[in-house]
Amino acid sequence: MSSIQKRKLKALVADEVRFFRSWMGKPLSMGAVSPSGKALTKLMASFVDPDDTLPVIELGPGTGVVTQALLERGVAPERIVSIEYSADFCRLLEKRFTGVKIIEGDAYALERSLNGCIAGPVSAVISSLPLLTQPPARRSGLIQAAFDRLAPGQPFIQFSYGLASPVPPDTALFSTSHTGWVMKNVPPARVWVYRRAH
Ligand SMILES: C[S@@+](CC[C@H](N)C(=O)[O-])C[C@H]1O[C@@H](n2cnc3c(N)ncnc32)[C@H](O)[C@@H]1O
């Protein structure tokens, strides 16, 4: 194993440990025992247009696996605004992702957390929040706030381990679609995409 491979492996193990510790302290807020896998994060990022110029809001970045997938997709770091609850993860993200705006705040209080740092509409909202640990009204409130920010037809992207839509269905307000199961993730997950009906 080369020294670069060794360093990458060490960083990966360190993130697993960080994540697991955080889950031990706040299981409901973390919603997972380890970071999402590459196949899942790549699939999530594939719904974001890298050529658009509008910002992308990321909710619940954790150790930054989805942030990394967005960058690998070609989204410019200056377009990404990531809102994370955990102060420890925020410090890690700031060190890891130059140019990405990291906000320590509550994603469910979207506008208060953004605090005016984005002026207009956004290109995508990409969320890894453990929605299923929240009551339906809170989840509906989140997607409403996201749609108030999203440019027409642009996606709210969410992964979920559950069988049903993690956002309570409201066909009058938005369209819902989902991918197949990503079996290379532990546990397997699907990506749900919501767009406001025109
Ligand atoms: C399932 S983890 C996802 C982490 C990473 N994006 C991934 O896919 O591996 C959920 C993340 O959401 C964060 N989180 C939970 N509730 C939040 C909230 N209300 N506002 C912002 N972040 C929150 C947690 O601290 C955690 O980092």
mmCIF file of all heavy atoms in Angstrom, residues 40 81 156 175 194 197:
data_model
loop_
_atom_site.group_PDB
_atom_site.id
_atom_site.type_symbol
_atom_site.label_atom_id
_atom_site.label_comp_id
_atom_site.label_asym_id
_atom_site.label_seq_id
_atom_site.Cartn_x
_atom_site.Cartn_y
_atom_site.Cartn_z
ATOM 1 N N LEU A 40 -23.972 6.018 -3.187
ATOM 2 C CA LEU A 40 -25.158 6.794 -2.812
ATOM 3 C C LEU A 40 -24.921 8.296 -2.988
ATOM 4 O O LEU A 40 -25.761 9.011 -3.548
ATOM 5 C CB LEU A 40 -25.539 6.487 -1.354
ATOM 6 C CG LEU A 40 -26.745 7.259 -0.808
ATOM 7 C CD1 LEU A 40 -28.009 6.972 -1.624
ATOM 8 C CD2 LEU A 40 -26.990 6.926 0.666
ATOM 9 N N VAL A 81 -23.632 25.927 -0.003
ATOM 10 C CA VAL A 81 -23.867 26.427 1.354
ATOM 11 C C VAL A 81 -24.364 25.231 2.166
ATOM 12 O O VAL A 81 -25.429 24.673 1.873
ATOM 13 C CB VAL A 81 -24.922 27.559 1.351
ATOM 14 C CG1 VAL A 81 -25.231 27.995 2.781
ATOM 15 C CG2 VAL A 81 -24.437 28.749 0.533
ATOM 16 N N PHE A 156 -35.479 19.052 -4.738
ATOM 17 C CA PHE A 156 -35.145 18.780 -3.338
ATOM 18 C C PHE A 156 -34.759 17.307 -3.323
ATOM 19 O O PHE A 156 -35.568 16.438 -3.660
ATOM 20 C CB PHE A 156 -36.352 19.042 -2.438
ATOM 21 C CG PHE A 156 -36.087 18.764 -0.974
ATOM 22 C CD1 PHE A 156 -35.667 19.787 -0.131
ATOM 23 C CD2 PHE A 156 -36.250 17.499 -0.435
ATOM 24 C CE1 PHE A 156 -35.402 19.543 1.217
ATOM 25 C CE2 PHE A 156 -35.996 17.235 0.911
ATOM 26 C CZ PHE A 156 -35.577 18.263 1.737
ATOM 27 N N SER A 175 -44.133 17.065 -7.255
ATOM 28 C CA SER A 175 -44.026 15.723 -7.830
ATOM 29 C C SER A 175 -42.947 14.963 -7.068
ATOM 30 O O SER A 175 -42.017 15.570 -6.529
ATOM 31 C CB SER A 175 -43.658 15.813 -9.309
ATOM 32 O OG SER A 175 -42.331 16.286 -9.422
ATOM 33 N N TYR A 194 -37.923 15.563 -5.163
ATOM 34 C CA TYR A 194 -39.210 16.271 -5.146
ATOM 35 C C TYR A 194 -39.044 17.560 -5.941
ATOM 36 O O TYR A 194 -38.041 18.256 -5.806
ATOM 37 C CB TYR A 194 -39.606 16.609 -3.705
ATOM 38 C CG TYR A 194 -39.621 15.388 -2.800
ATOM 39 C CD1 TYR A 194 -38.473 15.012 -2.098
ATOM 40 C CD2 TYR A 194 -40.764 14.605 -2.672
ATOM 41 C CE1 TYR A 194 -38.471 13.888 -1.287
ATOM 42 C CE2 TYR A 194 -40.761 13.473 -1.858
ATOM 43 C CZ TYR A 194 -39.611 13.121 -1.168
ATOM 44 O OH TYR A 194 -39.613 12.001 -0.368
ATOM 45 N N ALA A 197 -44.724 21.251 -8.356
ATOM 46 C CA ALA A 197 -45.546 21.180 -9.560
ATOM 47 C C ALA A 197 -45.736 22.586 -10.114
ATOM 48 O O ALA A 197 -45.894 23.530 -9.348
ATOM 49 C CB ALA A 197 -46.897 20.567 -9.207
#
